[in-house]
Amino acid sequence: PVPAEPFPVPDIVLAGRVPPTNATLALDTSNCPDDMSVWPEFHNGAAAGLRLLRAGEGRAESMNQITRTWILYNKPAPRLQPQINNNNNNPNAASNTTPNHAHGGLLMALGLRGHLSALSMTDIYDYLTQ
């Protein structure tokens, strides 16, 4: 992976082509529950992460090394959530990171490939408490 770019996890495509005309048929998800895509997103992130080489395999170039900085850089961006202050009822914007399901799958793949050893215990604590 390129250290200065986010790791690409492809989108899940819910459309297909119908032979012989190659017409596109999209899946209607309007009647599906909101959490229908949780496991597919997780497995999509895991599949993307399993494309990476195992720790210690391949060339010893910096482009193939997955470091602590790279793992933390690829953490999902923080999302602002309003919080209400009980003293004067003014909403304050508090920054909370909300990891998505694809990122969880990517973390699992990094662990399977042996790359999570680059994280310190405080990094692991931060991931587990959010």
Side-chain angles (χ1 to χ4, degrees):
V2 179
E5 293 180 7
F7 187 68
V9 176
D11 292 331
I12 296 176
V13 178
L14 298 177
R17 297 199 180 264
V18 180
T21 61
N22 275 341
T24 302
L25 179 66
L27 178 66
D28 180 22
T29 59
S30 62
N31 294 331
C32 297
D34 292 336
D35 61 350
M36 177 196 77
S37 64
V38 170
W39 280 109
E41 287 177 9
F42 179 84
H43 290 284
N44 192 34
L50 289 173
R51 294 183 303 189
L52 299 170
L53 292 176
R54 287 188 182 272
E57 280 185 359
R59 300 181 302 243
E61 296 176 6
S62 64
M63 297 298 280
N64 290 333
Q65 299 298 317
I66 295 180
T67 63
R68 171 190 177 272
T69 306
W70 186 87
I71 294 172
L72 295 178
Y73 176 75
N74 280 284
K75 191 174 185 178
R79 190 173 66 165
L80 294 178
Q81 295 178 345
Q83 287 186 343
I84 296 179
N85 187 350
N86 291 333
N87 295 336
N88 54 10
N89 291 331
N90 289 333
N92 292 332
S95 163
N96 289 330
T97 57
T98 54
N100 56 27
H101 304 291
H103 184 69
L106 175 63
L107 284 176
M108 185 186 82
L110 289 176
L112 290 172
R113 292 292 191 186
H115 296 293
L116 289 184
S117 60
L119 293 177
S120 66
M121 288 305 287
T122 55
D123 297 327
I124 295 170
Y125 177 80
D126 286 341
Y127 265 108
L128 294 176
T129 57
Q130 294 178 357

